[in-house]
Amino acid sequence: MNIHYNDNVIMHFLEPINVGVLENSDGEGIVGDMTCGDMMVMYIHVQDERLADIKYQVFGCAAAIATCSALSEMAMNKTLGEALAITDEDVIRYLGGLPDPKAHCSTGAASALHQAIADARARQKPQL
């Protein structure tokens, strides 16, 4: 199988942004399974109903890494509602597309962020 990534995907893969762990995060979301492939963990800090910081760890292919990087860039400083509205398709569009055989690799990033927001809302202040 011959897979071609566009320049934006390659940039987010080779130079991913916001990689890491947030100590004392307000919320965490985990998607995937190490036994079958891609795994993503999103960490968020929330301030004034906005995503003040996002970090992630990802184990997976170039598409999985690129989608986590792109999603973190897209969601930074958004309100929680705006961040929850981001879909996998939005991330793929933001990247300028993914090869069809790799589109499934993008499905974890938005879900991990949505889980992190749900976690923050469950364990933090009522106004979240």
Side-chain angles (χ1 to χ4, degrees):
M1 177 178 0
N2 195 4
I3 296 176
H4 296 281
Y5 294 108
N6 67 49
D7 290 343
N8 197 23
V9 173
I10 291 170
M11 189 257 328
H12 276 284
F13 168 63
L14 294 176
E15 298 178 28
I17 59 170
N18 301 314
V19 176
V21 176
L22 284 176
E23 298 297 325
N24 302 311
S25 67
D26 295 318
E28 297 178 13
I30 301 171
V31 172
D33 184 348
M34 289 292 287
T35 61
C36 69
D38 300 335
M39 181 161 180
M40 302 163 186
V41 182
M42 286 277 169
Y43 307 91
I44 60 171
H45 277 309
V46 178
Q47 184 175 7
D48 298 326
E49 187 67 17
R50 291 193 173 273
L51 293 173
D53 203 357
I54 302 170
K55 298 281 186 221
Y56 62 88
Q57 295 177 303
V58 59
F59 176 82
C61 66
I65 293 167
T67 55
C68 283
S69 177
L71 175 70
S72 71
E73 186 173 65
M74 293 171 69
M76 189 70 73
N77 296 314
K78 297 266 192 259
T79 66
L80 297 183
E82 291 168 338
L84 283 170
I86 297 172
T87 66
D88 297 324
E89 294 79 21
D90 294 332
V91 179
I92 291 172
R93 274 192 299 277
Y94 185 83
L95 285 169
L98 286 173
D100 286 341
K102 291 297 186 173
H104 73 279
C105 301
S106 71
T107 60
S111 295
L113 177 61
H114 298 168
Q115 284 185 15
I117 292 169
D119 182 43
R121 285 180 165 164
R123 61 176 153 135
Q124 296 296 326
K125 304 170 196 119
Q127 70 264 22
L128 295 179

